[in-house]
PDB file of all heavy atoms in Angstrom:
ATOM      1  N   THR E 499       2.127  -7.618  -4.183  1.00  0.00           N
ATOM      2  CA  THR E 499       3.548  -7.935  -4.254  1.00  0.00           C
ATOM      3  C   THR E 499       4.297  -6.707  -4.744  1.00  0.00           C
ATOM      4  O   THR E 499       3.785  -5.948  -5.565  1.00  0.00           O
ATOM      5  CB  THR E 499       3.803  -9.106  -5.226  1.00  0.00           C
ATOM      6  OG1 THR E 499       2.997 -10.206  -4.830  1.00  0.00           O
ATOM      7  CG2 THR E 499       5.252  -9.519  -5.230  1.00  0.00           C
ATOM      8  N   ALA E 500       5.509  -6.512  -4.247  1.00  0.00           N
ATOM      9  CA  ALA E 500       6.345  -5.406  -4.706  1.00  0.00           C
ATOM     10  C   ALA E 500       7.803  -5.826  -4.686  1.00  0.00           C
ATOM     11  O   ALA E 500       8.200  -6.696  -3.910  1.00  0.00           O
ATOM     12  CB  ALA E 500       6.154  -4.178  -3.822  1.00  0.00           C
ATOM     13  N   MET E 501       8.588  -5.198  -5.562  1.00  0.00           N
ATOM     14  CA  MET E 501      10.024  -5.418  -5.618  1.00  0.00           C
ATOM     15  C   MET E 501      10.714  -4.052  -5.618  1.00  0.00           C
ATOM     16  O   MET E 501      10.269  -3.140  -6.305  1.00  0.00           O
ATOM     17  CB  MET E 501      10.410  -6.176  -6.895  1.00  0.00           C
ATOM     18  CG  MET E 501      11.914  -6.430  -6.997  1.00  0.00           C
ATOM     19  SD  MET E 501      12.379  -7.210  -8.551  1.00  0.00           S
ATOM     20  CE  MET E 501      12.359  -5.803  -9.635  1.00  0.00           C
ATOM     21  N   GLU E 502      11.755  -3.931  -4.847  1.00  0.00           N
ATOM     22  CA  GLU E 502      12.540  -2.699  -4.810  1.00  0.00           C
ATOM     23  C   GLU E 502      14.020  -3.045  -4.865  1.00  0.00           C
ATOM     24  O   GLU E 502      14.444  -4.087  -4.356  1.00  0.00           O
ATOM     25  CB  GLU E 502      12.258  -1.886  -3.544  1.00  0.00           C
ATOM     26  CG  GLU E 502      10.838  -1.402  -3.407  1.00  0.00           C
ATOM     27  CD  GLU E 502      10.447  -0.301  -4.370  1.00  0.00           C
ATOM     28  OE1 GLU E 502      11.345   0.301  -5.024  1.00  0.00           O
ATOM     29  OE2 GLU E 502       9.243  -0.030  -4.481  1.00  0.00           O
ATOM     30  N   LYS E 503      14.760  -2.147  -5.459  1.00  0.00           N
ATOM     31  CA  LYS E 503      16.209  -2.306  -5.571  1.00  0.00           C
ATOM     32  C   LYS E 503      16.882  -1.205  -4.756  1.00  0.00           C
ATOM     33  O   LYS E 503      16.530  -0.028  -4.882  1.00  0.00           O
ATOM     34  CB  LYS E 503      16.631  -2.215  -7.037  1.00  0.00           C
ATOM     35  CG  LYS E 503      18.095  -2.434  -7.260  1.00  0.00           C
ATOM     36  CD  LYS E 503      18.431  -2.405  -8.745  1.00  0.00           C
ATOM     37  CE  LYS E 503      19.923  -2.618  -8.920  1.00  0.00           C
ATOM     38  NZ  LYS E 503      20.316  -2.513 -10.329  1.00  0.00           N
ATOM     39  N   GLN E 504      17.845  -1.598  -3.958  1.00  0.00           N
ATOM     40  CA  GLN E 504      18.584  -0.633  -3.151  1.00  0.00           C
ATOM     41  C   GLN E 504      19.272   0.372  -4.067  1.00  0.00           C
ATOM     42  O   GLN E 504      19.764   0.031  -5.132  1.00  0.00           O
ATOM     43  CB  GLN E 504      19.615  -1.361  -2.299  1.00  0.00           C
ATOM     44  CG  GLN E 504      20.312  -0.466  -1.301  1.00  0.00           C
ATOM     45  CD  GLN E 504      21.252  -1.263  -0.406  1.00  0.00           C
ATOM     46  OE1 GLN E 504      21.629  -2.384  -0.717  1.00  0.00           O
ATOM     47  NE2 GLN E 504      21.613  -0.687   0.722  1.00  0.00           N
ATOM     48  N   ASP E 505      19.292   1.630  -3.657  1.00  0.00           N
ATOM     49  CA  ASP E 505      19.956   2.718  -4.381  1.00  0.00           C
ATOM     50  C   ASP E 505      19.309   3.044  -5.726  1.00  0.00           C
ATOM     51  O   ASP E 505      19.923   3.689  -6.566  1.00  0.00           O
ATOM     52  CB  ASP E 505      21.450   2.427  -4.598  1.00  0.00           C
ATOM     53  CG  ASP E 505      22.210   2.334  -3.280  1.00  0.00           C
ATOM     54  OD1 ASP E 505      21.814   3.034  -2.325  1.00  0.00           O
ATOM     55  OD2 ASP E 505      23.175   1.572  -3.207  1.00  0.00           O
ATOM     56  N   SER E 506      18.061   2.621  -5.946  1.00  0.00           N
ATOM     57  CA  SER E 506      17.401   2.943  -7.211  1.00  0.00           C
ATOM     58  C   SER E 506      16.716   4.308  -7.182  1.00  0.00           C
ATOM     59  O   SER E 506      16.091   4.696  -8.152  1.00  0.00           O
ATOM     60  CB  SER E 506      16.383   1.862  -7.581  1.00  0.00           C
ATOM     61  OG  SER E 506      15.357   1.807  -6.607  1.00  0.00           O
ATOM     62  N   GLY E 507      16.840   5.015  -6.097  1.00  0.00           N
ATOM     63  CA  GLY E 507      16.269   6.350  -5.959  1.00  0.00           C
ATOM     64  C   GLY E 507      16.576   6.888  -4.579  1.00  0.00           C
ATOM     65  O   GLY E 507      17.160   6.198  -3.739  1.00  0.00           O
TER      66      GLY E 507
END
Side-chain angles (χ1 to χ4, degrees):
T499 305
M501 180 184 79
E502 297 289 347
K503 183 177 179 184
Q504 187 176 18
D505 297 328
S506 63

